[in-house]
Amino acid sequence: MSGFEHYDRELMDLDREIHHYAAICGVNLGNRHEVEACLHNHRDNWVSDKARESLQGLLILRIKLETEMIELGFSPPSLVPPRATVLDD
């Protein structure tokens, strides 16, 4: 176990940070390609892109936390909630 006893609170705090850095970096968390690019494209000059490196680390941490939750039988919530469906009257 990673030491996360309160998964709901830990995910909420982690997600808040992820959304913060995604906004700074202009990464649309609802776009899988943008998220994957953030995870896989490393920059040579870390100093000039601290926000993107922070976002990358937070996303990796969330993946690890989700994996641990699933292994323990929990169902982690989505990082990006589904869009609300508007019904026509």
Side-chain angles (χ1 to χ4, degrees), residues 33-44:
H33 298 292
E34 288 185 35
V35 173
E36 286 181 5
C38 183
L39 286 170
H40 300 293
N41 295 339
H42 298 278
R43 307 284 172 106
D44 290 333

Side-chain angles (χ1 to χ4, degrees), residues 27-41 59 63 79-80 83:
V27 174
N28 177 358
L29 295 171
N31 184 323
R32 180 182 176 132
H33 298 292
E34 288 185 35
V35 173
E36 286 181 5
C38 183
L39 286 170
H40 300 293
N41 295 339
L59 288 169
I63 290 167
L79 175 61
V80 181
R83 293 182 187 178

Side-chain angles (χ1 to χ4, degrees), residues 34-85:
E34 288 185 35
V35 173
E36 286 181 5
C38 183
L39 286 170
H40 300 293
N41 295 339
H42 298 278
R43 307 284 172 106
D44 290 333
N45 190 355
W46 183 83
V47 175
S48 67
D49 207 358
K50 289 182 186 178
R52 189 168 292 275
E53 291 292 328
S54 294
L55 177 58
Q56 182 184 53
L58 290 166
L59 288 169
I60 291 169
L61 182 59
R62 191 177 203 289
I63 290 167
K64 289 182 180 191
L65 184 57
E66 287 177 349
T67 301
E68 181 177 312
M69 290 178 70
I70 291 168
E71 289 173 353
L72 293 172
F74 295 106
S75 180
S78 174
L79 175 61
V80 181
R83 293 182 187 178
T85 304

